[in-house]
Structures are given as structure tokens and as C-alpha cells.
Amino acid sequence: MERTDYKEAVVEQPPRLLRLAQVAQMLQVHPKTVYYWVRTGRLNALTSPGGLLRVRAEDARALCQS
């Protein structure tokens, strides 16, 4: 049986997903404002299997910098 060298295998981390309330806290705005940004397309969001909106951490950071 061959041993696999795990140092060579690239393991990608899944994207960190934030709730709208977490993004709102980060930006010091109301969660309804973040929801409005998602609805108007200013901020990209994913829908979880439970129907809740999630924002990628990279997208939230990009919004902060703009």
C-alpha cells in the first residue's frame, strides 16, 4: 500500500460565508441596509439551502474598500 504525501496535495479552504448581520456589524450599518445592498446588486450574496442569504468575506471586504 502506497503512502500519500499530504504536503504535496493542495487543500483549498472553502470560502468564508458571513451572515448579513455580521456584515452589518462590520460596516456599522443596520442589517436592513445590507439586505438592500444585496437586493439592488451592490453586494453579491448566496442563498443557503435553508433560504438564508450569505455573503462571501472577500465580497464584504471589497465593499469596505470601495
Side-chain angles (χ1 to χ4, degrees):
M1 186 178 247
E2 271 186 50
R3 293 185 73 198
T4 305
D5 189 11
Y6 289 105
K7 291 181 183 177
E8 292 178 10
V10 176
V11 179
E12 292 185 26
Q13 294 289 332
R16 177 142 189 251
L17 300 177
L18 303 171
R19 293 177 288 148
L20 297 185
Q22 291 173 316
V23 176
Q25 184 180 14
M26 209 167 64
L27 300 175
Q28 297 180 354
V29 296
H30 196 275
K32 286 184 180 181
T33 304
V34 179
Y35 178 73
Y36 175 76
W37 291 340
V38 169
R39 230 181 55 214
T40 58
R42 188 171 175 191
L43 181 63
N44 294 328
L46 306 169
T47 305
S48 70
L52 302 173
L53 294 172
R54 298 289 187 242
V55 176
R56 287 188 183 108
E58 300 87 34
D59 293 340
R61 273 191 224 107
L63 183 66
C64 286
Q65 292 173 352
S66 67

